[in-house]
CSV table of all heavy atoms in Angstrom, one decimal:
chain,number,residue,atom,x,y,z
A,21,GLU,N,14.5,-15.7,-76.9
A,21,GLU,CA,14.9,-17.0,-77.4
A,21,GLU,C,13.7,-18.0,-77.3
A,21,GLU,O,13.4,-18.8,-78.2
A,21,GLU,CB,16.1,-17.5,-76.5
A,21,GLU,CG,16.9,-18.7,-77.1
A,21,GLU,CD,18.0,-19.0,-76.1
A,21,GLU,OE1,18.6,-18.1,-75.5
A,21,GLU,OE2,18.2,-20.2,-75.9
A,22,LEU,N,13.0,-17.9,-76.1
A,22,LEU,CA,11.9,-18.8,-75.9
A,22,LEU,C,10.8,-18.5,-76.9
A,22,LEU,O,10.1,-19.4,-77.5
A,22,LEU,CB,11.4,-18.7,-74.5
A,22,LEU,CG,10.2,-19.5,-74.1
A,22,LEU,CD1,10.3,-21.0,-74.4
A,22,LEU,CD2,9.9,-19.4,-72.6
A,23,ALA,N,10.5,-17.2,-77.1
A,23,ALA,CA,9.5,-16.7,-78.0
A,23,ALA,C,9.8,-17.3,-79.4
A,23,ALA,O,8.9,-17.7,-80.1
A,23,ALA,CB,9.3,-15.2,-78.0
A,24,ARG,N,11.0,-17.2,-79.8
A,24,ARG,CA,11.4,-17.6,-81.2
A,24,ARG,C,11.2,-19.1,-81.3
A,24,ARG,O,10.6,-19.6,-82.3
A,24,ARG,CB,12.9,-17.4,-81.4
A,24,ARG,CG,13.1,-16.0,-81.8
A,24,ARG,CD,14.5,-15.7,-82.4
A,24,ARG,NE,14.7,-14.3,-82.4
A,24,ARG,CZ,15.6,-13.6,-81.7
A,24,ARG,NH1,16.5,-14.3,-80.9
A,24,ARG,NH2,15.7,-12.3,-81.7
A,25,ALA,N,11.5,-19.9,-80.3
A,25,ALA,CA,11.4,-21.3,-80.3
A,25,ALA,C,9.9,-21.7,-80.3
A,25,ALA,O,9.5,-22.6,-81.0
A,25,ALA,CB,12.0,-22.0,-79.1
A,26,LEU,N,9.1,-20.9,-79.6
A,26,LEU,CA,7.6,-21.2,-79.6
A,26,LEU,C,7.1,-21.0,-81.0
A,26,LEU,O,6.3,-21.7,-81.6
A,26,LEU,CB,6.9,-20.3,-78.6
A,26,LEU,CG,7.2,-20.6,-77.1
A,26,LEU,CD1,6.5,-19.6,-76.2
A,26,LEU,CD2,6.7,-22.1,-76.8
A,27,LYS,N,7.5,-19.8,-81.6
A,27,LYS,CA,7.0,-19.5,-82.9
A,27,LYS,C,7.3,-20.5,-83.9
A,27,LYS,O,6.5,-20.9,-84.8
A,27,LYS,CB,7.6,-18.1,-83.3
A,27,LYS,CG,6.9,-17.4,-84.4
A,27,LYS,CD,7.3,-15.9,-84.4
A,27,LYS,CE,7.9,-15.6,-85.7
A,27,LYS,NZ,8.3,-14.1,-85.8
A,28,ALA,N,8.5,-21.0,-83.8
A,28,ALA,CA,9.0,-22.0,-84.8
A,28,ALA,C,8.3,-23.4,-84.6
A,28,ALA,O,8.1,-24.1,-85.6
A,28,ALA,CB,10.5,-22.2,-84.6
A,29,GLY,N,7.9,-23.7,-83.4
A,29,GLY,CA,7.4,-25.0,-83.1
A,29,GLY,C,5.9,-25.1,-83.0
A,29,GLY,O,5.3,-26.2,-82.8
A,30,LEU,N,5.2,-24.0,-83.1
A,30,LEU,CA,3.8,-23.9,-82.9
A,30,LEU,C,3.0,-24.8,-83.9
A,30,LEU,O,3.3,-24.6,-85.1
A,30,LEU,CB,3.3,-22.5,-82.9
A,30,LEU,CG,2.1,-22.1,-82.1
A,30,LEU,CD1,2.4,-22.3,-80.6
A,30,LEU,CD2,1.7,-20.7,-82.4
A,31,PRO,N,2.1,-25.6,-83.5
A,31,PRO,CA,1.4,-26.4,-84.5
A,31,PRO,C,0.5,-25.5,-85.4
A,31,PRO,O,0.1,-24.4,-84.9
A,31,PRO,CB,0.5,-27.3,-83.7
A,31,PRO,CG,0.5,-26.8,-82.3
A,31,PRO,CD,1.7,-25.9,-82.1
A,32,ALA,N,0.3,-25.9,-86.6
A,32,ALA,CA,-0.5,-25.0,-87.5
A,32,ALA,C,-1.9,-24.9,-87.1
A,32,ALA,O,-2.6,-23.9,-87.4
A,32,ALA,CB,-0.4,-25.6,-88.9
A,33,ALA,N,-2.5,-25.9,-86.5
A,33,ALA,CA,-3.9,-25.9,-86.1
A,33,ALA,C,-4.2,-24.8,-85.1
A,33,ALA,O,-3.4,-24.5,-84.2
A,33,ALA,CB,-4.2,-27.2,-85.4
A,34,ASP,N,-5.3,-24.1,-85.3
A,34,ASP,CA,-5.6,-23.0,-84.4
A,34,ASP,C,-6.8,-23.4,-83.5
A,34,ASP,O,-7.5,-22.5,-83.0
A,34,ASP,CB,-5.9,-21.7,-85.2
A,34,ASP,CG,-7.1,-21.8,-86.0
A,34,ASP,OD1,-7.7,-22.9,-86.2
A,34,ASP,OD2,-7.6,-20.7,-86.5
A,35,SER,N,-6.9,-24.7,-83.3
A,35,SER,CA,-8.0,-25.1,-82.5
A,35,SER,C,-7.8,-24.9,-81.0
A,35,SER,O,-8.7,-25.0,-80.2
A,35,SER,CB,-8.3,-26.6,-82.7
A,35,SER,OG,-7.1,-27.3,-82.5
A,36,VAL,N,-6.5,-24.5,-80.7
A,36,VAL,CA,-6.2,-24.1,-79.3
A,36,VAL,C,-5.8,-22.7,-79.2
A,36,VAL,O,-5.0,-22.2,-80.0
A,36,VAL,CB,-5.0,-25.0,-78.8
A,36,VAL,CG1,-4.7,-24.7,-77.3
A,36,VAL,CG2,-5.2,-26.4,-79.1
A,37,GLU,N,-6.2,-22.0,-78.2
A,37,GLU,CA,-5.8,-20.6,-77.9
A,37,GLU,C,-4.5,-20.7,-77.1
A,37,GLU,O,-4.5,-21.2,-76.0
A,37,GLU,CB,-6.9,-19.8,-77.2
A,37,GLU,CG,-6.5,-18.4,-77.0
A,37,GLU,CD,-7.6,-17.5,-76.5
A,37,GLU,OE1,-8.8,-17.9,-76.5
A,37,GLU,OE2,-7.3,-16.4,-76.0
A,38,VAL,N,-3.4,-20.2,-77.6
A,38,VAL,CA,-2.1,-20.2,-76.9
A,38,VAL,C,-1.7,-18.8,-76.5
A,38,VAL,O,-1.8,-17.9,-77.2
A,38,VAL,CB,-1.0,-20.8,-77.9
A,38,VAL,CG1,0.3,-20.9,-77.1
A,38,VAL,CG2,-1.4,-22.2,-78.4
A,39,VAL,N,-1.4,-18.8,-75.2
A,39,VAL,CA,-1.1,-17.5,-74.6
A,39,VAL,C,0.2,-17.6,-73.8
A,39,VAL,O,0.5,-18.6,-73.2
A,39,VAL,CB,-2.2,-17.1,-73.6
A,39,VAL,CG1,-2.0,-15.8,-72.9
A,39,VAL,CG2,-3.6,-17.2,-74.2
A,40,VAL,N,1.1,-16.5,-73.8
A,40,VAL,CA,2.2,-16.5,-73.0
A,40,VAL,C,2.2,-15.2,-72.1
A,40,VAL,O,1.8,-14.2,-72.6
A,40,VAL,CB,3.6,-16.6,-73.7
A,40,VAL,CG1,3.7,-18.0,-74.4
A,40,VAL,CG2,3.8,-15.5,-74.8
A,41,ALA,N,2.7,-15.4,-70.9
A,41,ALA,CA,2.8,-14.2,-70.0
A,41,ALA,C,4.2,-14.0,-69.5
A,41,ALA,O,4.6,-14.6,-68.5
A,41,ALA,CB,1.8,-14.5,-68.8
A,42,PRO,N,5.0,-13.3,-70.3
A,42,PRO,CA,6.4,-13.0,-69.9
A,42,PRO,C,6.4,-11.9,-68.7
A,42,PRO,O,5.3,-11.3,-68.5
A,42,PRO,CB,7.0,-12.4,-71.1
A,42,PRO,CG,6.0,-12.6,-72.2
A,42,PRO,CD,4.6,-12.7,-71.6
A,43,PRO,N,7.5,-11.7,-68.1
A,43,PRO,CA,7.6,-10.6,-67.1
A,43,PRO,C,7.5,-9.3,-67.9
A,43,PRO,O,7.7,-9.2,-69.1
A,43,PRO,CB,9.0,-10.8,-66.5
A,43,PRO,CG,9.8,-11.6,-67.6
A,43,PRO,CD,8.8,-12.5,-68.2
A,44,TYR,N,7.1,-8.3,-67.2
A,44,TYR,CA,6.9,-6.9,-67.8
A,44,TYR,C,8.0,-6.5,-68.7
A,44,TYR,O,7.8,-5.9,-69.7
A,44,TYR,CB,6.8,-5.9,-66.7
A,44,TYR,CG,5.5,-5.9,-65.9
A,44,TYR,CD1,5.5,-5.8,-64.5
A,44,TYR,CD2,4.2,-5.9,-66.5
A,44,TYR,CE1,4.4,-5.7,-63.7
A,44,TYR,CE2,3.1,-5.9,-65.7
A,44,TYR,CZ,3.2,-5.8,-64.3
A,44,TYR,OH,2.0,-5.8,-63.6
A,45,THR,N,9.3,-6.7,-68.2
A,45,THR,CA,10.4,-6.2,-68.9
A,45,THR,C,10.6,-6.8,-70.3
A,45,THR,O,11.3,-6.2,-71.2
A,45,THR,CB,11.7,-6.5,-68.1
A,45,THR,OG1,11.7,-7.9,-67.7
A,45,THR,CG2,11.9,-5.6,-66.9
A,46,ALA,N,9.9,-8.0,-70.5
A,46,ALA,CA,10.1,-8.6,-71.8
A,46,ALA,C,8.8,-8.5,-72.7
A,46,ALA,O,8.8,-9.0,-73.8
A,46,ALA,CB,10.5,-10.1,-71.6
A,47,LEU,N,7.8,-7.9,-72.2
A,47,LEU,CA,6.5,-7.9,-72.9
A,47,LEU,C,6.7,-7.3,-74.3
A,47,LEU,O,6.2,-7.9,-75.3
A,47,LEU,CB,5.4,-7.1,-72.2
A,47,LEU,CG,4.8,-7.8,-71.0
A,47,LEU,CD1,3.8,-6.8,-70.3
A,47,LEU,CD2,4.0,-9.0,-71.5
A,48,LYS,N,7.3,-6.2,-74.4
A,48,LYS,CA,7.4,-5.5,-75.7
A,48,LYS,C,8.2,-6.3,-76.7
A,48,LYS,O,7.7,-6.5,-77.9
A,48,LYS,CB,8.0,-4.1,-75.5
A,48,LYS,CG,8.1,-3.3,-76.8
A,48,LYS,CD,6.7,-2.9,-77.3
A,48,LYS,CE,6.8,-1.9,-78.5
A,48,LYS,NZ,7.3,-2.5,-79.7
Side-chain angles (χ1 to χ4, degrees):
E21 198 179 320
L22 178 54
R24 280 192 194 117
L26 291 176
K27 199 162 122 179
L30 208 67
D34 66 349
S35 53
V36 184
E37 181 173 345
V38 181
V39 182
V40 293
Y44 289 133
T45 46
L47 280 176
K48 180 68 170 73

